[in-house]
Amino acid sequence: MGVIFLIRFENVTKIYKGENEVVALKNIDLTINDGEIFGIIGLSGAGKSTLVRCINLLETPDEGRVLVDGVDMMNLTRRELRQHRKSIGMIFQHFNLLSSRTVAENVAFPLELSGVPKRQRIKKVRDLLELVGLSDKARAYPSQLSGGQKQRVGIARALANDQKILLCDEATSALDPQTTMSILELLKKINRERGITVVIITHEMHVIKEICDRVAVIEDGRIIETGIVEDVLLNPTTETARTFLKTVIKSEVPPEVAARLKESNGGELLQVTFLGGSTGEPIINEVVKNFDVVVNILYGNIDQIHDITFGMLVLKLTGPQRKQAKAFLEEKGLKVKVIDDV
Ligand SMILES: Nc1ncnc2c1ncn2[C@@H]1O[C@H](COP(=O)(O)OP(=O)(O)OP(=O)(O)O)[C@@H](O)[C@H]1O
Ligand SMILES: [Mg+2]
């Protein structure tokens, strides 16, 4: 049995016609698997929103096919499409809540539209508000909520009809970092507990790094890179991916640290980058034990994606066996760069 895909783009092209024709998507081939959290990252205007809007046919491709759950979306009648769209929820950067309705009434809205009887609606809304941690806000109005709470309402509403897919278009872009993390945690919980496939659009690499299983990098309407997150993050093959990468993996020495390093006398400064496998610490222990050197850690940055550790250390080596120590680090698979001989 092959991989079970839930969403598939086959050679999709989307052109916005008008005075200035814009080719927003160019020959997109993309497969999103059932149950995964898939990220799409790109700069402003790259075509991210157009891409997700093609999943539920809010935008119609000019060429190619979009398959959702085995169904060719463009072959559906209007009525079938409306039905099919119900299995796809969507949340937005600016929440798009109805301001004259309470939290509970906002969540109930799609249930009303699909004709769910009142008693069932009430129960469903209660369940959903509990899922997103807003049971105590049922009677509040959107204007009385924080951004994070509003997005929780958005999520509850997007899942009201037991959607199998949740599309998130910059859903955390209007939120502060801490609130962003709590929303990402909620999305992860929904994915893991309910098996909902989550598609996340973002221009922020840390969002991808935090919760996505796989990622596609989009530029000028084309997918330029795709793969599991740790592969794309740690071995980017395009300049754009590398640029995004720099925002999460700090492999440069900050200028104020560099200035401080210049002042440190004696020894040799090494920038050691490690990726996967070993973390820096135990290896440095070994260096100190095995060689006649003194190691000072002047700067460090260690992070993790899924179960892969990566990072960078700036070390000052003094003592007679510096050369051997350096060779040993390289033997262990670390990338070693001499910053400066002071
Ligand atoms: N309705 C439209 N009519 C004409 N051009 C459009 C329309 N929507 C988007 N575009 C153009 O298509 C291209 C892709 O836009 P899209 O909104 O998909 O980008 P995006 O990656 O979502 O950008 P952002 O990060 O700013 O939201 C852009 O050049 C944009 O100007
Ligand atoms: Mg957009």
Side-chain angles (χ1 to χ4, degrees):
M1 208 174 81
V3 179
I4 302 163
F5 68 86
L6 188 60
I7 301 167
R8 186 180 196 123
F9 281 63
E10 290 178 358
N11 198 29
V12 168
T13 293
K14 170 72 191 174
I15 301 166
Y16 291 110
K17 302 192 174 73
E19 235 170 87
N20 298 311
E21 207 172 80
V22 179
V23 184
L25 298 177
K26 240 174 280 176
N27 309 110
I28 300 281
D29 285 308
L30 181 69
T31 300
I32 298 176
N33 298 323
D34 196 1
E36 76 178 336
I37 304 185
F38 193 94
I40 297 166
I41 187 164
L43 298 171
S44 184
K48 305 182 294 295
S49 295
T50 305
L51 183 67
V52 278
R53 289 166 65 82
C54 283
I55 295 175
N56 51 14
L57 286 205
L58 289 176
E59 297 292 351
T60 314
D62 293 282
E63 259 176 58
R65 296 207 300 167
V66 177
L67 302 172
V68 178
D69 213 1
V71 174
D72 184 338
M73 296 295 277
M74 275 144 76
N75 273 348
L76 301 176
T77 62
R78 254 165 205 272
R79 192 195 153 100
E80 287 169 334
L81 177 60
R82 219 169 343 171
Q83 201 53 37
H84 225 72
R85 268 192 191 137
K86 271 196 198 144
S87 67
I88 307 173
M90 195 162 182
I91 58 173
F92 309 88
Q93 178 173 7
H94 297 296
F95 323 121
N96 300 8
L97 302 179
L98 299 165
S99 59
S100 61
R101 284 180 159 237
T102 64
V103 165
E105 287 164 355
N106 264 281
V107 178
F109 191 57
L111 296 168
E112 290 167 29
L113 290 182
S114 26
V116 175
K118 185 159 182 193
R119 193 183 289 256
Q120 252 170 278
R121 257 179 4 230
I122 291 171
K123 184 178 177 305
K124 190 87 208 202
V125 169
R126 199 183 301 136
D127 288 351
L128 286 161
L129 289 182
E130 195 180 322
L131 174 72
V132 301
L134 278 186
S135 300
D136 56 332
K137 295 284 180 196
R139 288 162 193 276
Y141 284 88
S143 61
Q144 299 168 311
L145 302 178
S146 69
Q149 289 167 336
K150 283 182 196 164
Q151 196 55 287
R152 285 169 189 271
V153 180
I155 292 169
R157 184 183 56 180
L159 299 178
N161 284 311
D162 296 318
Q163 279 82 346
K164 293 181 66 176
I165 300 171
L166 181 62
L167 309 177
C168 313
D169 192 348
E170 300 281 0
T172 57
S173 298
L175 306 174
D176 63 66
Q178 205 178 334
T179 311
T180 292
M181 284 306 291
S182 76
I183 293 296
L184 295 179
E185 282 306 318
L186 175 60
L187 292 175
K188 200 190 272 182
K189 176 174 122 171
I190 286 163
N191 168 261
R192 303 290 188 251
E193 287 179 8
R194 308 216 164 183
I196 292 169
T197 303
V198 180
V199 181
I200 294 187
I201 286 193
T202 183
H203 60 272
E204 294 173 304
M205 199 48 130
H206 82 95
V207 169
I208 302 282
K209 172 182 157 264
E210 241 20 272
I211 66 162
C212 293
D213 301 307
R214 290 197 305 139
V215 62
V217 183
I218 181 169
E219 185 173 63
D220 290 333
R222 294 173 194 273
I223 291 188
I224 56 168
E225 205 152 340
T226 178
I228 59 172
V229 169
E230 46 269 49
D231 283 351
V232 172
L233 272 177
L234 301 175
N235 301 302
T237 57
T238 59
E239 197 47 48
T240 306
R242 265 192 289 276
T243 309
F244 279 122
L245 186 71
K246 280 189 190 145
T247 61
V248 285
I249 300 176
K250 302 207 167 33
S251 56
E252 315 268 307
V253 181
E256 58 288 6
V257 177
R260 188 150 46 80
L261 296 181
K262 289 229 166 68
E263 286 162 18
S264 81
N265 300 316
E268 189 171 28
L269 290 182
L270 299 181
Q271 180 174 1
V272 177
T273 321
F274 53 94
L275 199 169
S278 47
T279 58
E281 294 276 356
I283 289 188
I284 286 164
N285 259 330
E286 282 184 59
V287 168
V288 176
K289 256 191 283 172
N290 293 339
F291 303 98
D292 187 6
V293 285
V294 176
V295 180
N296 275 305
I297 301 178
L298 302 183
Y299 178 76
N301 204 319
I302 299 177
D303 204 343
Q304 200 165 355
I305 304 173
H306 299 165
D307 55 354
I308 296 181
T309 307
F310 60 90
M312 183 265 280
L313 296 171
V314 175
L315 309 176
K316 186 166 87 170
L317 258 56
T318 38
Q321 287 195 306
R322 284 173 2 201
K323 215 182 202 148
Q324 290 90 327
K326 206 174 117 200
F328 176 80
L329 290 170
E330 279 168 342
E331 234 168 72
K332 290 281 173 181
L334 309 193
K335 214 161 87 188
V336 182
K337 194 176 107 188
V338 179
I339 300 184
D340 208 351
D341 249 326
V342 236

